[in-house]
Amino acid sequence: MAASCPDREPVGSELTQEIQPVRGMNDVLPAEIGAWQAVEGAARELLTAYGYQEIRIPVVERTELFKRAIGEYTDVVEKEMYTFADQGGDSLTLRPEATAGVMRALISNGMLRGQRHKLWCAGPMFRHERPQKGRYRQFHQIDVEAVGLPGPDVDAELIALTARLWRRLGIERVRLEINSLGTPEARRVYREKLVEYFRAHHERLDADSRRRLEGNPLRILDSKNPEMRELIEAAPVLTDHLDPQSREHFQALCASLEAIGIPFRINPRLVRGLDYYSRTVFEWITDALGAQDAVCSGGRYDGLIDQLGGESTPGIGFAMGIERLVALLTQSGPVESVAGPDVYIVVSGAQATAAGVALAERLRTELPNRRFELNLGGGNFKAQFRRADRSAAALALILGDDELARGVASLKPLRRETGQSESPLSNLAVAIEAVLAGSAGHM
Ligand code: ATP
Ligand code: MG
């Protein structure tokens, strides 16, 4: 670069150090983009078909929002948030999840008032976790929220939507776990039983769990410490303490899932990492990605909007981790990105090269559904044909000075042996379509 750019000082590589990317924050390169687009495209299509509308919210929110929504004693708020003071001294946080922001948006824009909303959004989330395979500091979610619907019909439909998405993507190694957390009142009673139980076994609690015992004892059930497993297995089970309405809600959900034909397992210890859940919680997990096994998690949050100062409205939602879905999708091989061009335009000679850009632009206008790649940066015939071949184009259009002078171009199919032909420049669009139709028949 420096050599061909005489106005700039060459940059001495021994003087400047390469700037490193931020740990746990990745680039998604063109070679990997096919799988990302497959996941995002299938999700967008399906969500639209189910009547969900896209909403876009800021990546940064007031820190207070996440503290209030997610809960002070969660891992996310206690130790994973990217929080900073801006120039005006406000405490802001890079969003660690999307639900809080979407609910904030509904409240800020006066969109509640007894109305229903079926929404989705997608984008990067930020958590300061220990980076490892399937766990990053910037990761991406597709987030889906249904607000104003008490369920359990919407609970079942949302889960059915996710099951359909896995089928569309050809993802097989996932299974569904569900649980009910009941109402906050029922949970309060259960919580006391749980505290009593863990107090009686205080000496067996790890440091994290001791801390949680006071602030948020349910979270102890979510502990990933294997030494805690036995104690947790023997703890009282929330499902035994459900209030009658929550029990009914849960039974109706189970019946719907059975009627749809979605296999599930009731996991009474599924409590989820965020505090705002009530009643239905669910998680799709896989055995194909090692320790990072959750690909999609969600649940009902009937108290959240109220908790954020909005008019009390029930809601349910889930988020899926795009990196983990991409990892599942690419386990059986790379996913093709967008196809190559239909036509590669080879230009040779000074006049033809000069005329190339205008010709390509004209063809793009005349055949808007075809993809044209113009050879850029010159090169002899051999080099240009090598590029044409690598581009996977079906057809090369050849324009040399000689052809230009005669008002024609040559068309050479690249994926079959036969027939280079000539066409008048004025009739190129028709000729290209004819040859491409013939090529398609031969492929
Ligand atoms: P985990 O138990 O793996 O930490 P979580 O319960 O914290 O997940 P949620 O907050 O519910 O996850 O987020 C929903 C989904 O986002 C998860 O199921 C997972 O697929 C994905 N996810 C969460 N944290 C990360 C991360 N740090 N890196 C990549 N994906 C993530
Ligand atoms: Mg987590």
Side-chain angles (χ1 to χ4, degrees), residues 9-79:
E9 286 286 317
V11 178
S13 58
E14 65 284 356
L15 296 177
T16 38
Q17 237 184 357
E18 201 181 305
I19 294 177
Q20 297 301 312
V22 179
R23 195 162 120 80
M25 305 203 180
N26 302 309
D27 306 302
V28 181
L29 302 177
E32 308 154 343
I33 209 75
W36 282 72
Q37 289 175 343
V39 170
E40 291 164 348
R44 175 177 291 123
E45 231 178 78
L46 211 52
L47 285 159
T48 306
Y50 275 74
Y52 284 76
Q53 291 182 305
E54 185 176 3
I55 181 171
R56 299 188 184 192
I57 54 167
V59 168
V60 178
E61 298 273 1
R62 292 180 180 281
T63 304
E64 188 55 28
L65 171 68
F66 300 115
K67 283 194 177 165
R68 245 212 266 173
I70 301 172
E72 300 255 9
Y73 292 97
T74 54
D75 284 355
V76 171
V77 171
E78 273 181 341
K79 47 190 184 197

Side-chain angles (χ1 to χ4, degrees), residues 127 129 134-136 139 141 224 272 294-295 297 319 321 324:
R127 295 183 195 176
E129 304 195 69
R135 192 174 292 286
Y136 310 103
F139 61 100
Q141 288 183 338
K224 288 179 180 144
R272 312 276 305 101
V295 295
S297 342
R324 293 183 194 177

Side-chain angles (χ1 to χ4, degrees), residues 197-198 201 204 228-237 269:
Y197 169 81
F198 283 125
H201 298 91
R204 292 171 65 191
M228 293 280 302
R229 187 166 301 150
E230 210 182 314
L231 187 65
I232 289 170
E233 292 286 322
V237 175
R269 287 179 185 82

Side-chain angles (χ1 to χ4, degrees), residues 205-279:
L205 294 177
D206 62 12
D208 261 354
S209 301
R210 282 182 190 179
R211 196 165 35 83
R212 285 180 181 145
L213 187 56
E214 302 313 320
N216 190 351
L218 258 73
R219 290 273 300 133
I220 299 177
L221 301 176
D222 203 29
S223 164
K224 288 179 180 144
N225 181 355
E227 285 167 22
M228 293 280 302
R229 187 166 301 150
E230 210 182 314
L231 187 65
I232 289 170
E233 292 286 322
V237 175
L238 176 57
T239 342
D240 295 339
H241 296 86
L242 284 187
D243 54 291
Q245 278 87 21
S246 293
R247 187 181 303 280
E248 211 175 288
H249 187 117
F250 192 53
Q251 279 164 355
L253 170 63
C254 294
S256 283
L257 292 176
E258 274 159 16
I260 304 167
I262 299 173
F264 61 90
R265 188 176 86 91
I266 297 173
N267 175 1
R269 287 179 185 82
L270 181 64
V271 292
R272 312 276 305 101
L274 316 179
D275 266 0
Y276 50 57
Y277 289 105
S278 59
R279 292 198 170 150

